[in-house]
Amino acid sequence: MPQDSDHQDCPKYSLQQILDNHNEQLLFYRPHDQQHIHPHHTCLTWLIGNILPKKIIILDNEQYNTQSVISNLLNQFELSSQCYGNIKQQTSNSAHNSIIPLDHLSSLNDSLIYFNSAYISINDHPTLSSIIKHLPTNSILIFSNVYEKNSISKENQKLIDQWQTAYLNFEFNHHGGLLIIYTGTTPPPTLHGLFNLKNIPKLAQRFKTRCAIMDEYWQLKALSQNNIHLTYKKDLLEAKSETNLLEQQLYFLQKQKQTELQQLQNTIAHLTQQLGRSNEPPKSFYTRLKLFIKRKLQSYTVKKIVSSNRFYTIFIPKKIRQYVEQPASNIDISSPTYDNNYRPRRITFVAGEPHTPGVIYRCYRNAQACRIAGHEAKVINAADVGPQDIKWADIMILWRVEFSGHILGIVELAKQYNTLTAFDADDIVFKPQLAYIEIIDGIRSIGTTEAETSRTFGNMKQTLMRTDFAVATTAEMREHMAQELIPKHAGPLVFTLPNIFDDECVQTARFAARMNKLQKNDTYIRIGYASGTRTHQRDFALVIPALISVFKKRPQVRLVLFREPENHRPILHMNEYPELQDYENHIEWRDTVPLQQLPQELARFDISIAPLEADNVFCNAKSELKYFEAALANVCSVVSPTGPLKRCIEHGVTGFLANTTQEWEKHLITLIDNPELRHQVAQNAYHDVLWNFGIQRQSKLCDTIFHSLTGEKGAAQAVETMINRGKYRNLSLPTIPESEILFDHDALRTAMVTVIITSYNYSQYIIEAMESVKAQTLQYLDMIIVDDGSSDDSIDLILAWANNHKNRFNRLQLHRSVKNAGLGGARNIGIAASETLYSMQLDADNRLLPDTCEKLLAVMQDTAIGYAYPQLRHFGAGESIGGHVPFHPLRLTVGNYIDAMVMLAKWAWAAAGGFYVQRDAMGWEDYDMWCRLAELGIQGTQVLDAFAEYRAHFSSMTTTVTEQTNHKPKVVSHLSERHPWIDIVYPEDSPWYKKK
C-alpha cells in the first residue's frame, strides 16, 4: 500500500481519470480525518469535488460522522456551500464550516441531500415528510445503507424504489449500498457521465470496483490506527475476496454480452438479407425486426437500413449499428463449408423453472458447453418461447417444462420446422407413481401435497412423451426415462449429460480455498452440510447418530448448517432432530448465499458430507454435484453410496463412502484426526473432477450427441465414438511426488496462467528463464519454480531473485522435491500447486518471449483446446526452428513433433493423468502426454504468431539422458506399452534406425 505522502490532499479527479487508472495501488482522495472514515468516502469526495453543490442537507446518525466528513470536504475544496444538519453532531473537525440547523432550511430544491435510509424514517422525519408527495426539483438524493434489512430500511425502500424507477440513478454495491438519484431532467455533466455508465456494464462495474477498493483501503487503515479488534489482515482478505467476486461477475457479464451481441448480429444480417430477396411488405418486415431487437436491448438510436432501392428508418440498438448500416447485399452471412449431414447446430435450452439454481446447471452451463463445441446456443424461459425462436433452433431442449397448451404448440410447430425437441430433467420428476411421501420426503418438508406433486410429475411426463429424445443427468435417471418412454417408443433415445461446472466456478472456488487458508484463525474442524432446500430431512437424519458420537469424542468439531439470511430460519427443520438440542454449541450457522458465492462457503469446510437414502429410488438417481463442488473448493467428502457416487468416487482415494452409522463415524474420525489425509483426498478429488465434470468434456459429449442426430450415417459414426469412449473419464490420477515449499508469495488476485519452471542443476540458466517470465505482457501472472533436488547453488539464486521480484507476480512459489523425481514428477509438482486454468511449461534452460503467454492464452481461453504450442527459435549450440509443424494427432503415430514448451490446460493435464513418473524411462514425458490426450480426442493447436526460445547445448537432458544407448530403448518400450498404436519411424541415417 502507498504511504500518505504519495497522495495529494484532494485533487479533483474526473470520472474518466478514475476509469483509466489501471494501477490498483494508486488510491485517490486522502481523507482529512483518517480516524473517522466514511464507508463511501471515495464517491462522496468525487461527487462533491466535481458537482460543487451550493446547498447540502445531511440526514444521518452519528455512527458514520457524515457531517464532519462533508464539512471537511468543503474546506478541502474551498467551497462556501451551505451545509444543513443536526447541530448536536457537529465536531471540532468541522468548525470551519459550521452546520446550519435543519429548522433554518427554507427549501429542499436545488440541493444535495444525503440520507441514511437504514436509521431515519422518511415518513417520520420532519424535514423529509414533505417529499413523499413531491420530491425537490433539480436535487441530488444520496441514499446510504439501501441494502440493510431492518424495519426502517424496509419501510423507506418502498418509496426509494418508486423514485429509482422514475428518475436517473446510479447504485454502488459495497458497504451496505449507496444510491444516487437526480430529480431534474438535465443532470450536471458529472452526473450525466455517471448515469451513462449504466449503458456500458463493463465501465460501470469498473467504477464501482475502483471505489470499493479505495474505500476498503481507507477503512482498513482507520481500523488499524484505532486499534479495533478486527484485524487488518482479516479485513484486507475480506476486501480482496469481495473484489475478486466483483471481477468474476464482470468477466461473466462480458462473456454473456458478447454472446448476445453475436446472436443479434447473425439474426439481423439474416433478416436483412431476407428483405432484399423477399416480397414481404417492408412495414411488416421491419415490425418483426424492431420487436426482435426491443426484446434484446433497451438503448436505441434511429438509423437507416438500405436494401435494394428501398430506404426505411427504424430503431436499432447503438451497439449493433455497424452490422446494419450497409446494404443487405454487402452483408456476409456465409458459413464455413460443412458436411451436409453435420454442421454447427442451433440449440435452444428452454427453462421450465428459470428462477431456481437448476437452470444454471442444466441450461446456462450446457449452453456454454455447446458454444465451446462450435454450436450456437441460447437460453429462453418456457413462457417466452415464440415462433421465431422455434424456427431459429435445430434442437430445443426443454428442462423441467410442464406440459400445457403453450408447450403443445411449441412441440407441434417444431415438427413443422423440422426442429428436434428433447426433455431434460435432473430429478425423477416425470413419474407420477413416485409422488408419495414414503418415497419423496421433500413433499412433506416443503409443504406441498402428494396430489399436487403427482399432477406436476404427470405434466412433466406429458412433455417427455411428446419430445423426440430425452436427456438425463445420471445412468439411473436415463433408465427411468427409458422406462417411461418404452410403451410409446420402441428403443427410446435417451442421452446422458451430467451436471457440470464451468471455468468461472473453478476460479471462484480455488480463490475461495486460498482465502480460507489465510483467514482461518481457529482450531475447529468443520463438517459442512450444504443443503439449499428443505427436501432432505430423512437424508440428514441418517448421519445424526454418527455426528453425535463424533461431537462426544472430538469436541473441536463444528457442524456447519445453513439458514435463511432474512429471518435466520434454518433450512433443515431442526424440531425433527431433538437429539441435537444438547449439542447446539457444536453447530455453526451460516446464511445461505447465491450459487455464485457458494464456493466461499464450501471452502470453509474441512469435510463435506452428503447423506442420501441410498436404497431410495428417488435419491439413488441424484447427480454428483455435492461431490465435485466440494472438490473444487479443496474439501474432501464423505457421502452415501448411491449409484452415481459409487461410480465417480474411489473409496479412500478421492472420497469416502459411508452407508451405516459405524461407517460414517469411522470415516469422519479418520479424516478429523489426519489433516494430511484430508489434504491428499481433497487434492485427488480436485484432479478427479476437473475433466470428469468439467465443461470441456461436456462440450465433446454435446458435440457427439448432436452428430448422432444428423441422420443414419451421422448416428452410426457418433455411436461408434460413444462406444469406444466407454466411460470417457480421466485415464488415471496424476502422481504428485512429495515436495517442500521454500518460498511462497500470494497477492490474492486471480491470474489465468502459471508459468511452471522445472530445474535440475541449471544455476547458469535459471535466472534467464525467470527474467523471461517476469517480462511477460500479461498483467496478472503466477510462477512456480520446481527444483528437482539440485546440488548446485540454484536454490540460493532463485530465493534471492524471488525476494527481489515477488511483487511482479500474483503468486510466486519455489518447490523443492524431497527426492529427485525426474522431469514428469517435477512438472506434476508444479501443475498440482498451480491455481490457474492454464500453465506454461518452461525448462530452466529455455526462455519465453514477452508476449508468448498472452498469445497462447488468447487462442486457448474459452475453448476445449487442451494445449497450445509456439514456434521455437533455437539458440546456443546450433540454430534451427521448432514448433513449425501444424497439429494433427496422426503425426504422433510415427514420433513426437511437439516440444514440451506448451501452454497446457489443467483440466487436460488431469484428464491424461498427469505426466508419467518413471525415472528409468525418463525423457519422453511430453510425447506420452500428447498421446494420452489424443486417445481422449482432446485437441492441441499450433499458434503461428507465438514464439519462444529453445537453448541447444550439450548438457541438456535430451543429450545426456534420453538419447543414451542404454536408456532410449527403455523409453521407447515404455511408450509402446502405453500406446500400442504408435510405431516410431527413424530416418535412415539415424543410429536407431538400424537398431530397430
Side-chain angles (χ1 to χ4, degrees):
M1 291 292 182
Q3 301 297 317
D4 292 352
S5 58
D6 293 338
H7 302 276
Q8 301 177 38
D9 276 346
C10 215
K12 295 180 181 179
Y13 292 103
S14 68
L15 179 65
Q16 190 63 46
Q17 284 175 307
I18 297 180
L19 289 174
D20 288 343
N21 169 36
H22 295 288
N23 179 6
E24 70 172 55
Q25 300 295 326
L26 179 57
L27 301 168
F28 300 91
Y29 302 135
R30 170 185 173 185
H32 181 270
D33 181 2
Q34 295 187 21
Q35 291 187 341
H36 302 92
I37 308 296
H38 193 277
H40 292 278
H41 165 81
T42 305
C43 174
L44 287 179
T45 308
W46 170 78
L47 194 63
I48 290 174
N50 286 278
I51 295 293
L52 309 178
K54 295 181 179 180
K55 181 166 58 177
I56 300 175
I57 302 166
I58 305 168
L59 303 170
D60 198 357
N61 61 0
E62 297 183 19
Q63 178 182 356
Y64 296 121
N65 205 28
T66 306
Q67 289 187 173
S68 177
V69 169
I70 292 180
S71 183
N72 286 325
L73 287 175
L74 297 178
N75 291 329
Q76 287 179 276
F77 287 119
E78 298 181 351
L79 300 178
S80 57
S81 308
Q82 294 179 323
C83 195
Y84 295 85
N86 187 345
I87 195 68
K88 297 180 180 179
Q89 296 180 22
Q90 186 171 357
T91 67
S92 59
N93 291 330
S94 57
H96 297 290
N97 265 87
S98 296
I99 300 296
I100 304 173
L102 287 171
D103 53 12
H104 292 189
L105 183 63
S106 58
S107 170
L108 297 176
N109 296 332
D110 301 302
S111 305
L112 186 153
I113 303 174
Y114 180 95
F115 173 71
N116 189 331
S117 63
Y119 299 101
I120 299 174
S121 170
I122 297 176
N123 289 304
D124 298 337
H125 197 278
T127 304
L128 290 179
S129 56
S130 61
I131 73 173
I132 295 176
K133 293 184 179 180
H134 301 288
L135 281 178
T137 59
N138 299 323
S139 292
I140 302 168
L141 308 182
I142 303 177
F143 298 100
S144 65
N145 287 312
V146 290
Y147 297 155
E148 288 291 334
K149 298 297 183 182
N150 61 36
S151 57
I152 296 177
S153 177
K154 290 179 179 179
E155 174 190 309
N156 291 333
Q157 196 62 47
K158 296 177 182 178
L159 289 169
I160 295 173
D161 287 345
Q162 296 174 11
W163 299 333
Q164 187 175 3
T165 303
Y167 295 98
L168 294 170
N169 64 85
F170 192 86
E171 192 169 358
F172 294 88
N173 309 110
H174 64 290
H175 289 168
L178 188 81
L179 176 65
I180 300 174
I181 294 177
Y182 182 69
T183 62
T185 55
T186 305
T190 296
L191 285 181
H192 181 74
L194 180 66
F195 296 149
N196 277 346
L197 287 184
K198 295 178 67 175
N199 297 323
I200 313 174
K202 179 178 179 181
L203 292 182
Q205 193 65 52
R206 183 187 299 175
F207 184 63
K208 294 178 183 180
T209 303
R210 298 280 159 78
C211 290
I213 290 173
M214 289 185 267
D215 288 338
E216 288 288 353
Y217 171 74
W218 294 118
Q219 286 279 321
L220 293 172
K221 189 163 187 177
L223 289 176
S224 63
Q225 290 179 346
N226 293 339
N227 196 28
I228 293 180
H229 293 303
L230 293 176
T231 65
Y232 179 90
K233 178 180 177 182
K234 178 177 182 293
D235 284 323
L236 177 61
L237 294 176
E238 289 178 355
K240 286 281 188 179
S241 181
E242 182 179 355
T243 302
N244 177 265
L245 187 60
L246 289 171
E247 290 174 345
Q248 291 294 322
Q249 291 172 340
L250 175 59
Y251 176 69
F252 181 78
L253 181 63
Q254 285 176 303
K255 287 178 58 177
Q256 183 182 23
K257 293 302 179 184
Q258 288 170 357
T259 301
E260 292 175 358
L261 190 58
Q262 184 63 46
Q263 292 174 354
L264 283 171
Q265 175 187 354
N266 294 341
T267 303
I268 289 179
H270 178 67
L271 290 175
T272 306
Q273 189 186 57
Q274 281 185 345
L275 176 63
R277 64 190 183 197
S278 72
N279 296 321
E280 180 178 357
K283 184 176 180 181
S284 170
F285 174 85
Y286 277 115
T287 298
R288 284 201 294 122
L289 181 58
K290 181 177 176 181
L291 290 174
F292 170 80
I293 294 171
K294 274 192 173 183
R295 289 203 308 266
K296 299 297 181 182
L297 293 177
Q298 295 179 349
S299 57
Y300 305 93
T301 185
V302 177
K303 298 300 294 181
K304 289 185 178 180
I305 289 185
V306 183
S307 179
S308 302
N309 297 319
R310 295 176 288 184
F311 293 78
Y312 303 99
T313 300
I314 63 170
F315 287 100
I316 299 294
K318 296 177 182 178
K319 290 188 176 182
I320 53 176
R321 290 184 220 173
Q322 69 265 33
Y323 305 128
V324 293
E325 288 180 334
Q326 51 183 316
S329 57
N330 296 334
I331 297 178
D332 180 15
I333 63 167
S334 60
S335 300
T337 302
Y338 294 93
D339 182 270
N340 289 333
N341 287 328
Y342 189 54
R343 58 176 174 77
R345 305 319 239 186
R346 291 176 171 176
I347 319 299
T348 297
F349 290 87
V350 180
E353 298 179 3
H355 304 298
T356 63
V359 73
I360 296 175
Y361 294 104
R362 300 309 297 167
C363 295
Y364 286 99
R365 289 181 183 171
N366 282 337
Q368 179 62 15
C370 293
R371 296 186 198 106
I372 290 175
H375 305 281
E376 294 183 61
K378 60 184 179 181
V379 179
I380 303 179
N381 295 350
D384 298 332
V385 175
Q388 288 301 318
D389 300 313
I390 302 170
K391 187 176 182 179
W392 176 88
D394 295 306
I395 300 171
M396 299 188 75
I397 301 177
L398 286 66
W399 171 72
R400 284 195 177 225
V401 174
E402 290 190 52
F403 186 74
S404 65
H406 176 58
I407 300 305
L408 178 61
I410 291 174
V411 174
E412 293 300 321
L413 191 56
K415 292 177 181 178
Q416 297 179 30
Y417 288 141
N418 292 320
T419 298
L420 295 175
T421 56
F423 177 78
D424 178 29
D426 44 1
D427 272 320
I428 309 177
V429 294
F430 45 83
K431 280 192 165 185
Q433 62 269 34
L434 298 184
Y436 292 98
I437 292 174
E438 291 78 5
I439 299 173
I440 306 175
D441 186 48
I443 297 174
R444 171 186 62 85
S445 55
I446 64 175
T448 186
T449 64
E450 291 176 340
E452 178 64 20
T453 305
S454 178
R455 185 197 64 79
T456 300
F457 285 13
N459 288 338
M460 296 278 190
K461 179 178 178 178
Q462 289 298 314
T463 305
L464 168 65
M465 301 300 289
R466 284 171 168 79
T467 53
D468 298 301
F469 65 97
V471 179
T473 52
T474 65
E476 289 76 8
M477 188 77 65
R478 180 177 182 271
E479 180 180 353
H480 286 290
M481 286 182 170
Q483 287 174 346
E484 294 301 297
L485 290 169
I486 281 176
K488 183 176 181 180
H489 304 280
L493 191 58
V494 185
F495 299 99
T496 302
L497 285 176
N499 279 332
I500 60 166
F501 53 83
D502 56 18
D503 287 347
E504 289 77 24
C505 189
V506 178
Q507 290 178 293
T508 302
R510 300 312 292 179
F511 184 84
R514 286 160 56 200
M515 292 293 298
N516 182 69
K517 182 179 177 181
L518 293 172
Q519 284 178 320
K520 185 162 182 172
N521 56 4
D522 57 45
T523 59
Y524 294 140
I525 302 297
R526 290 178 171 85
I527 299 174
Y529 180 57
S531 172
T533 62
R534 293 187 172 87
T535 57
H536 296 283
Q537 292 295 118
R538 287 207 308 251
D539 294 327
F540 184 68
L542 295 173
V543 77
I544 287 180
L547 288 173
I548 290 175
S549 181
V550 168
F551 293 156
K552 293 176 179 177
K553 296 178 180 179
R554 301 294 185 270
Q556 77 274 27
V557 168
R558 294 295 180 269
L559 173 65
V560 182
L561 299 176
F562 288 84
R563 63 191 181 187
E564 294 177 349
E566 297 84 5
N567 52 29
H568 288 180
R569 180 189 175 195
I571 298 300
L572 291 169
H573 293 299
M574 298 303 291
N575 60 306
E576 296 186 12
Y577 314 121
E579 57 267 55
L580 287 178
Q581 290 181 358
D582 294 335
Y583 300 94
E584 291 182 356
N585 60 326
H586 285 271
I587 298 177
E588 183 178 291
W589 291 100
R590 300 286 294 181
D591 291 343
T592 57
V593 295
L595 183 61
Q596 189 179 7
Q597 298 175 29
L598 179 60
Q600 295 177 338
E601 293 299 322
L602 295 177
R604 298 182 68 255
F605 300 173
D606 295 287
I607 304 167
S608 175
I609 58 173
L612 290 166
E613 294 180 294
D615 56 352
N616 180 295
V617 63
F618 190 80
C619 295
N620 195 52
K622 285 188 170 292
S623 77
E624 311 88 343
L625 66 87
K626 295 297 183 189
Y627 163 64
F628 70 66
E629 287 181 333
L632 292 179
N634 210 38
V635 177
C636 59
S637 294
V638 183
V639 304
S640 294
T642 62
L645 290 172
K646 280 194 296 186
R647 287 192 297 274
C648 75
I649 291 179
E650 184 178 354
H651 180 68
V653 178
T654 60
F656 286 85
L657 301 169
N659 199 29
T660 66
T661 296
Q662 292 74 23
E663 289 174 348
W664 277 102
E665 181 182 344
K666 174 186 174 183
H667 301 326
L668 289 174
I669 290 291
T670 299
L671 289 169
I672 290 166
D673 293 345
N674 194 335
E676 291 79 14
L677 180 62
R678 292 201 304 271
H679 169 75
Q680 186 61 59
V681 172
Q683 184 183 69
N684 289 342
Y686 173 47
H687 295 160
D688 180 58
V689 304
L690 274 175
W691 167 252
N692 295 334
F693 299 99
I695 198 168
Q696 291 78 16
R697 176 179 180 268
Q698 193 87 329
S699 73
K700 299 184 74 63
L701 295 179
C702 289
D703 198 41
T704 309
I705 289 173
F706 301 152
H707 192 185
S708 76
L709 299 171
T710 58
E712 293 177 347
K713 180 180 178 181
Q717 293 173 339
V719 172
E720 177 192 20
T721 300
M722 293 177 183
I723 293 172
N724 283 294
R725 278 176 177 171
K727 296 179 180 179
Y728 205 40
R729 293 174 59 83
N730 57 314
L731 299 180
S732 65
L733 284 175
T735 300
I736 316 297
E738 189 179 356
S739 66
E740 55 183 339
I741 301 177
L742 303 182
F743 186 90
D744 189 7
H745 161 77
D746 192 342
L748 294 175
R749 298 299 301 258
T750 298
M752 295 298 295
V753 177
T754 301
V755 179
I756 310 291
I757 301 181
T758 50
S759 177
Y760 178 69
N761 287 338
Y762 271 168
S763 61
Q764 69 271 42
Y765 304 130
I766 185 65
I767 298 297
E768 284 185 65
M770 293 190 296
E771 286 289 341
S772 75
V773 178
K774 181 170 74 75
Q776 291 302 293
T777 53
L778 290 175
Q779 181 180 6
Y780 300 120
L781 184 67
D782 293 1
M783 181 167 70
I784 295 175
I785 307 105
V786 181
D787 184 90
D788 196 17
S790 297
S791 58
D792 60 10
D793 61 346
S794 298
I795 293 291
D796 293 336
L797 291 173
I798 296 168
L799 285 172
W801 189 94
N803 273 304
N804 290 331
H805 300 289
K806 63 183 179 182
N807 291 329
R808 161 62 183 94
F809 299 96
N810 173 51
R811 291 181 75 231
L812 177 59
Q813 287 187 337
L814 169 60
H815 290 247
R816 178 171 60 190
S817 56
V818 172
K819 62 180 181 179
N820 185 268
L823 188 56
R827 288 203 175 115
N828 287 347
I829 290 171
I831 298 175
S834 69
E835 296 290 5
T836 56
L837 299 176
Y838 307 97
S839 63
M840 181 71 204
Q841 310 305 308
L842 179 64
D843 292 337
D845 53 343
N846 297 329
R847 302 183 303 219
L848 303 176
L849 294 187
D851 60 358
T852 304
C853 288
E854 183 175 8
K855 289 185 174 179
L856 294 176
L857 175 64
V859 172
M860 294 187 68
Q861 202 166 5
D862 300 322
T863 71
I865 295 173
Y867 60 101
Y869 55 96
Q871 296 201 67
L872 302 180
R873 297 171 181 168
H874 288 219
F875 70 101
E879 296 183 2
S880 62
I881 60 171
H884 58 287
V885 180
F887 172 78
H888 195 299
L890 191 63
R891 301 182 196 274
L892 296 169
T893 61
V894 297
N896 188 22
Y897 64 98
I898 303 172
D899 187 75
M901 207 181 324
V902 304
M903 182 170 287
L904 179 63
K906 191 161 185 174
W907 59 262
W909 168 81
F915 291 96
Y916 74 77
V917 181
Q918 188 163 329
R919 285 191 50 77
D920 61 355
M922 188 169 60
W924 279 4
E925 291 86 352
D926 51 344
Y927 184 19
D928 174 77
M929 173 63 72
W930 319 146
C931 290
R932 301 268 275 187
L933 294 177
E935 290 163 357
L936 290 167
I938 294 174
Q939 176 191 348
T941 190
Q942 176 199 35
V943 183
L944 289 172
D945 63 343
F947 292 88
E949 295 180 322
Y950 180 93
R951 188 190 303 269
H953 58 101
F954 298 110
S955 60
S956 68
M957 179 179 158
T958 302
T959 303
T960 60
V961 179
T962 308
E963 294 297 322
Q964 292 299 303
T965 304
N966 62 344
H967 185 76
K968 187 164 184 176
K970 299 177 183 178
V971 180
V972 176
S973 175
H974 182 67
L975 264 289
S976 298
E977 290 176 6
R978 288 167 68 87
H979 313 289
W981 49 273
I982 67 173
D983 186 12
I984 298 172
V985 176
Y986 300 100
E988 290 186 4
D989 58 351
S990 167
W992 297 105
Y993 173 72
K994 296 178 182 179
K995 293 177 183 179
K996 180 180 178 182

